[in-house]
Amino acid sequence: DGTNLVPNFAGGTSLNMGPNGSAAGINLGTNAGSTNFAGLAINTQTANGFVANNAGTLTVTGAGNSVVTTTGQILSITNTAVGATDVNFNVLSASGVVSGNAMTLSNVDNNDVNISNFTLNNGATGDGINVNTGSSTNVNINTATINNTTGDGVELNGSTGSFSIVTGNIGNTNDPGGDTVHINGGTGAVDIDANLFKSTSGHIVEVSNHTTGTVSFGGSINATGGVSNGILLNSSSGNIEFTNGTKVLN
């Protein structure tokens, strides 16, 4: 019945979906077993790139995995565990305005999701990156470029795993319609060293109801435009740090 599959796509999988394709490049659902991919190269236009929902245990191994869309959601993992060898992507990218969140992790548990390059130059009708519903998986992003989201650039809502961005820019060419970074609840350590920008109303940083894990912002803070778009810290415990010398609140 497809609920206990243990497929292993170790030889490499290349999917190039045509302009009218409406199905996801990869769509995993209702699998109590484990699935491993290696050597992924997914290219879609309006279709979503990689979707896993109630997908048992998932691993994506190797250094060169990529998902590239035009307006399709890049990555969505829901109600799924990450296996011991992690979920690894070199490139996650969309060239157009993505419908919904560009990347969603919801109730994703165990081990790590590692992303070398996350690029969203032209935005999304939702959030750029959204991690929610008690996800305990650690999310590690080396470089992030996020612009023109209708929602938040990055939203962490109730996640308990750690989250980090080593470098990049969020909102530097077209700031988010919501907050640049919004953290609500959760206990995981957060270390965001990308430069943050906000020139319209909203908050460049909002941290509310976060407990225990240290929240650290190491990139520059650039809130401009003469509107209400500064930093909001509300009902949180634990340490919240702003370590970069450049903080413009104007």
Side-chain angles (χ1 to χ4, degrees):
D1 59 6
T3 61
N4 290 285
L5 296 175
V6 188
N8 182 12
F9 299 90
T13 304
S14 180
L15 299 171
N16 195 336
M17 311 300 287
N20 298 316
S22 59
I26 287 179
N27 193 338
L28 305 175
T30 317
N31 178 29
S34 60
T35 305
N36 175 62
F37 291 96
L40 280 178
I42 299 171
N43 287 272
T44 74
Q45 295 197 19
T46 61
N48 295 331
F50 189 110
V51 176
N53 182 26
N54 295 308
T57 300
L58 173 68
T59 56
V60 180
T61 56
N65 301 297
S66 66
V67 180
V68 177
T69 76
T70 302
T71 59
Q73 188 174 34
I74 307 168
L75 177 68
S76 177
I77 305 175
T78 305
N79 300 327
T80 297
V82 174
T85 51
D86 299 334
V87 168
N88 301 281
F89 287 100
N90 181 43
V91 173
L92 296 180
S93 177
S95 58
V97 178
V98 171
S99 179
N101 298 332
M103 169 178 154
T104 300
L105 302 179
S106 180
N107 194 30
V108 180
D109 293 320
N110 306 331
N111 300 302
D112 292 5
V113 172
N114 302 306
I115 301 163
S116 296
N117 299 281
F118 182 90
T119 304
L120 186 66
N121 279 322
N122 292 308
T125 61
D127 301 329
I129 296 171
N130 185 299
V131 183
N132 66 72
T133 320
S135 292
S136 67
T137 292
N138 302 315
V139 181
N140 309 300
I141 302 171
N142 185 54
T143 303
T145 301
I146 301 172
N147 288 295
N148 195 36
T149 57
T150 300
D152 301 324
V154 173
E155 179 178 324
L156 309 179
N157 196 334
S159 58
T160 61
S162 65
F163 181 92
S164 67
I165 299 176
V166 175
T167 188
N169 296 287
I170 303 176
N172 63 312
T173 63
N174 196 328
D175 70 325
D179 296 337
T180 305
V181 175
H182 185 178
I183 301 169
N184 182 39
T187 59
V190 179
D191 185 4
I192 296 177
D193 293 336
N195 301 312
L196 308 182
F197 299 83
K198 194 81 175 85
S199 59
T200 57
S201 60
H203 297 103
I204 192 164
V205 169
E206 179 177 346
V207 182
S208 298
N209 305 305
H210 186 272
T211 59
T212 64
T214 295
V215 177
S216 178
F217 297 93
S220 64
I221 303 292
N222 305 275
T224 60
V227 294
S228 178
N229 60 9
I231 297 169
L232 175 63
L233 308 178
N234 182 45
S235 300
S236 295
S237 60
N239 296 326
I240 302 175
E241 305 172 345
F242 295 86
T243 60
N244 191 283
T246 301
K247 302 177 189 68
V248 177
L249 301 172
N250 185 12

